[in-house]
Amino acid sequence: MTSPLLFVLLVLCIVAGFVVIRRRRTVLRLDEAPDIGEPDAATIPPFTRAPGAGLGSRVRALFGGGASEETWQQLEDLLIKADVGPRGAGDLVGRVRGRFVNGADPESVLQEEILAVLGEDRDLHLAEGKLAVILIVGVNGSGKTTTVGKLAKRLAGQGRAVSLAASDTFRAAAGEQLEVWAQRAGAHIVSQQRGADPGAVAFDAVKSATARGSDVLIVDTAGRLHTKAPLMDELAKVKRVIEKAGAEVDETLLVLDATTGQNGIAQARAFTESVELTGVVLTKMDGSARGGVVLAVREELGVPVRFVGVGEGAEDLRPFRAAAFADGLLRSEG
């Protein structure tokens, strides 16, 4: 009886050894797999899909029995629920109503008016032959610092030499977060210790970026509470310091969390009182955000949406394209 038992134990040992060897080889193959890197940011396609797709089918259903006062009110309610906002929804319904005739396709008329509200697409306007400066503003939690990193990656992918200014000296780990993005983008970064004067960081960054021959300097500012006047004054000061250092701010972009809806619009109004915004970056458009917030930004602030964040990856900052957005927002399902 001893021999069969020894034989069984021997077989079990052989099987166990075989499993260990195969597992070790699998781990080695995973560890030795080549780093394929991230897609070239310069080749990333624009944002082409809007949350709330299928809005057009609901619009057509409203007009199934013709256009009445109740129909127009329901259309306005539908747009408000899509985060267009009361003012934007009312204006848009008025535009559609002024053009609509019985027998017309209400979805097509609405799409044309959406495009009229959004206006022409605008790419970044950056100075050539000297240092261009992009000022990034926004409240904490909006994805501001991450947007700075993604934008740096995108511009570097276009062949530009990029520098970053870590002027968000109040938020814990903001500098470290930006340092990681600088490494990923191959960008130069200027930073100081936590609690340092944001204006001093911006001043040093302008001088350093100019000396290095950088094409673009992106300035990350503190995520300020829009209800606190001293913090908004500090933002205006950073802009003045940049100009004192010998540069001009080419673009001032406000980063807004699209999921905040009308609360985000209230934040944006406060920022427009401190700096002259040239555009908005809407983040988290891949989540629960409703696409109408894009129209609310344009209609209520008069500021174009320049980029849209649709994910966590470096390639997920997409240039905004109005025609693709309107089509995605209204496209009927099925």
Side-chain angles (χ1 to χ4, degrees), residues 93-106:
V93 168
R95 296 170 71 114
V96 173
R97 190 169 186 172
R99 288 190 49 209
F100 184 79
V101 295
N102 288 330
D105 179 6

Side-chain angles (χ1 to χ4, degrees), residues 1 57 77 94 102 121 130 217 219 272 281 294-295 307:
M1 293 185 60
S57 61
D77 292 342
N102 288 330
D121 297 327
K130 64 176 183 177
L217 170 65
V219 182
T272 59
V281 179
V294 172
L295 287 163
F307 292 96

Side-chain angles (χ1 to χ4, degrees), residues 92-140:
L92 193 54
V93 168
R95 296 170 71 114
V96 173
R97 190 169 186 172
R99 288 190 49 209
F100 184 79
V101 295
N102 288 330
D105 179 6
E107 181 181 351
S108 296
V109 177
L110 179 58
Q111 182 169 3
E112 291 169 4
E113 293 305 320
I114 287 175
L115 290 174
V117 169
L118 293 176
E120 296 182 358
D121 297 327
R122 291 179 55 189
D123 294 323
L124 292 178
H125 179 71
L126 302 178
E128 298 290 344
K130 64 176 183 177
L131 180 66
V133 179
I134 303 174
L135 189 65
I136 306 294
V137 302
V139 300
N140 285 334

Side-chain angles (χ1 to χ4, degrees), residues 321-333:
R321 294 295 179 258
F325 170 81
D327 181 65
L329 181 67
L330 293 171
R331 188 179 305 148
S332 299
E333 299 173 334

Side-chain angles (χ1 to χ4, degrees), residues 46-66:
F47 176 60
T48 57
R49 190 69 171 161
L55 185 63
S57 61
R58 285 173 276 173
V59 171
R60 286 183 174 178
L62 288 179
F63 286 81

